[in-house]
Amino acid sequence: MRRFLVRRFTQAIVQLLLVGSIVFFLARLIPGDPARAALGEAATEEQVALTRAAMHLDEPFLGQFFGFWVRLLQGDLGTSLISGRAVMQDLPSRLGNSLELVLLALAVSLVAGIALGRVAATRADKPSDHVLVAGSIFGISLPVFVVGTLLLLVFAVLIPILPPRRFASPLDDPVAHLQILVLPVVTLAAASCAVITRMTRAAMLETLNADYVRTARAKGLVEKRVIKRHALRTAMLPVVSMTTVELTTLIGSTVLVETIFGWPGMSSLLMNAVGQRDYPVIQAVVLAAATIVILVNLVGDLVVRALDPRAEDN
């Protein structure tokens, strides 16, 4: 177990170093002069030169690269070229808003998906199973932007029980915050819930036909106890593995969801930064998202290993 932990943490560090380096190089491939973009076309050459010096763009390329890592390891993510504010002033709140969406959507997906998958597996080949399978296929097939647009049309226009409104902090107005949170969370959770439903159903069907489950039934255990104690727990292993994949998918889907619902999260911050060639913000947002994905995969591996110590170190 110790070797497994050391190896996984080492892999996570290497992945972070690679992602950081790739982000640095890709940000500099964006066409245009960031100093000119920050100052506007009316700026003089002298002003542009001073801004380029402040952004370290007048240094040799390798000097910029190593300077980027030195500042990053010191916790300095730079200053936005457009707003002039330190990136760390805006990033935590945007990151918190995005994580709120993602984690709530994941929780809804897991609770609903596992429950529906269990029902489908225990009632295999019955009408309820067919309905759930068809519904899960339909949920997987619909793109996120279609689900979000349909939900807005139905619940904000046709039946205006959740009308669109400005973003409200949960500390300032908890009720309004919950109202504007419902549709984005449901939109994000729809496809993941369908995937987890199908995964839970397939895993439980395989487990329910295992020899040790038939032995438990032969000993006279109540069916509910057999399902809960023996079948469901074993079926959770592939579901946990799939959960890490779905969490990374949810993070990627926030780009569309935040755009559709006007949610002030990391994705909207990133899109604005790309359009304005704001290098520091682009680097900070991508690094934050990559760090979360890497940590999610690391935690997922650790959970699977804890649930099944026989899992191989691969």
Side-chain angles (χ1 to χ4, degrees):
M1 186 64 176
R2 182 178 299 177
R3 287 191 303 171
F4 174 77
L5 290 174
V6 170
R7 191 180 69 174
R8 289 299 290 114
F9 277 109
T10 302
Q11 289 175 350
I13 292 172
V14 172
Q15 289 170 346
L16 284 173
L17 291 174
L18 287 174
V19 169
S21 301
I22 292 172
V23 168
F24 174 85
F25 292 121
L26 290 180
R28 277 145 184 82
L29 292 178
I30 299 176
D33 185 352
R36 176 70 67 180
L39 295 175
E41 295 301 327
T44 64
E45 292 299 327
E46 183 180 357
Q47 291 173 323
V48 173
L50 290 174
T51 302
R52 288 180 60 83
M55 296 165 58
H56 308 283
L57 294 177
D58 59 339
E59 299 176 1
F61 191 77
L62 286 179
Q64 294 181 41
F65 178 71
F66 289 114
F68 162 75
W69 277 110
V70 169
R71 290 188 294 274
L72 182 62
L73 293 175
Q74 293 174 345
D76 180 10
L77 296 178
T79 302
S80 171
L81 307 182
I82 306 303
S83 66
R85 292 162 53 89
V87 176
M88 282 301 295
Q89 289 183 321
D90 296 326
L91 185 61
S93 61
R94 294 297 192 104
L95 177 60
N97 290 339
S98 292
L99 286 179
E100 181 182 21
L101 277 184
V102 170
L103 294 179
L104 284 175
L106 181 65
V108 171
S109 302
L110 284 173
V111 172
I114 292 174
L116 293 175
R118 174 178 174 176
V119 171
T122 54
R123 301 178 183 179
D125 295 327
K126 294 182 179 179
S128 56
D129 177 38
H130 297 317
V131 170
L132 289 172
V133 170
S136 63
I137 294 174
F138 184 69
I140 295 172
S141 303
L142 281 180
V144 170
F145 67 88
V146 173
V147 176
T149 304
L150 288 176
L151 289 177
L152 272 178
L153 177 64
V154 174
F155 296 105
V157 179
L158 300 179
I159 310 173
I161 57 176
L162 293 171
R165 60 177 67 200
R166 294 176 62 87
F167 178 80
S169 169
L171 300 178
D172 297 334
D173 193 343
V175 175
H177 185 75
L178 288 176
Q179 288 178 337
I180 62 177
L181 190 62
V182 172
L183 293 183
V185 168
V186 173
T187 301
L188 265 182
S192 293
C193 178
V195 171
I196 292 173
T197 297
R198 289 182 61 82
M199 177 62 69
T200 304
R201 177 184 180 276
M204 282 201 65
L205 285 176
E206 182 179 354
T207 305
L208 287 172
N209 293 322
D211 292 338
Y212 67 91
V213 173
R214 288 198 290 266
T215 302
R217 286 170 175 159
K219 290 181 178 179
L221 289 180
V222 179
E223 184 67 14
K224 288 184 178 180
R225 189 174 181 184
V226 171
I227 293 173
K228 183 177 180 180
R229 186 172 180 178
H230 297 279
L232 188 60
R233 181 177 178 181
T234 304
M236 286 301 99
L237 289 174
V239 173
V240 170
S241 299
M242 178 58 67
T243 299
T244 61
V245 177
E246 286 305 306
L247 187 52
T248 57
T249 303
L250 290 174
I251 293 173
S253 299
T254 56
V255 176
L256 292 173
V257 172
E258 290 180 7
T259 302
I260 293 171
F261 294 97
W263 190 265
M266 281 204 310
S267 298
S268 55
L269 180 65
L270 176 62
M271 298 306 293
N272 292 334
V274 170
Q276 297 170 329
R277 303 182 186 90
D278 198 343
Y279 286 174
V281 175
I282 295 172
Q283 292 170 169
V285 172
V286 175
L287 277 174
T291 301
I292 293 171
V293 170
I294 290 171
L295 290 177
V296 164
N297 288 321
L298 175 62
V299 172
D301 288 345
L302 295 177
V303 171
V304 170
R305 184 62 182 259
L307 291 174
D308 185 9
R310 299 170 300 173
E312 295 182 0
D313 294 350
N314 49 26

